[in-house]
């Protein structure tokens, strides 16, 4: 799979652990995130991820900021994006199963690195169920 990832200053260590796991599993990763704890603006790192996913250059996206909210709001402004703010693997699974989410948003200040890695693995390994959920997903876009 092709995965795009972006993070602000709250997530460099999270990104590093997630990227290492993704590469070990044979995924191709495009990294738009910062490697510094110096304050930056999360939209600058979220927009390129959303663009890759919406244009089909990436199969999925991963975004990380302190609360996960700001960067999730940013990427959800893009056409064809369904980003889900996840804080546990069960939410990540449901985001894929029921909402066909294509970007996972991780709150670095409220999850541990092992939790984040586990959520990403769950997210990428869970299929959309379709069926009754497809009708709902079709109603999301404006």
């Amino acid at each position: 799979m092709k995965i795009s990832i972006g993070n602000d200053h709250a997530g460099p260590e999270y990104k590093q652990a997630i990227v290492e796991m993704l590469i070990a599993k044979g995924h191709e990763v495009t990294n738009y995130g910062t490697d510094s704890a110096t304050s930056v603006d999360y939209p600058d790192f979220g927009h390129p991820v959303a663009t890759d996913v919406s244009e089909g250059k990436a199969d999925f996206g991963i975004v990380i900021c302190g609360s996960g909210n700001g960067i999730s709001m940013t990427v959800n402004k893009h056409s064809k994006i369904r980003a889900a703010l996840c804080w546990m693997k069960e939410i990540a699974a449901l985001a894929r199963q029921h909402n066909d989410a294509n970007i996972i948003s991780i709150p670095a200040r409220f999850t541990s690195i092992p939790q984040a890695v586990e959520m990403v693995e769950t997210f990428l390994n869970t299929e959309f169920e379709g069926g009754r959920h497809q009708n709902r997903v079709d109603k999301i876009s404006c």
Side-chain angles (χ1 to χ4, degrees), residues 27-102:
H27 300 296
E28 181 181 323
V29 179
T30 302
N31 175 8
Y32 293 108
T34 183
D35 293 321
S36 171
T38 302
S39 183
V40 294
D41 298 332
Y42 55 78
D44 296 338
F45 304 95
H47 285 304
V49 172
T51 297
D52 278 1
V53 175
S54 68
E55 292 180 356
K57 296 176 187 172
D59 300 302
F60 291 101
I62 302 163
V63 292
I64 308 161
C65 76
S67 71
N69 279 306
I71 204 162
S72 179
M73 291 176 190
T74 298
V75 298
N76 272 318
K77 299 294 183 192
H78 288 254
S79 175
K80 302 178 187 175
I81 297 301
R82 291 173 306 281
L85 173 58
C86 299
W87 57 94
M88 59 196 319
K89 69 179 183 177
E90 293 82 3
I91 299 295
L94 286 172
R96 287 287 306 128
Q97 290 170 337
H98 294 184
N99 310 117
D100 198 18
N102 50 17

Side-chain angles (χ1 to χ4, degrees), residues 1-4 17-30 59 120-121 124-125:
M1 271 189 257
K2 293 181 181 180
I3 313 293
S4 287
I18 292 166
V19 168
E20 287 174 5
M21 177 273 293
L22 293 171
I23 290 172
K25 294 188 177 287
H27 300 296
E28 181 181 323
V29 179
T30 302
D59 300 302
V120 170
E121 287 181 299
L124 297 177
N125 291 319

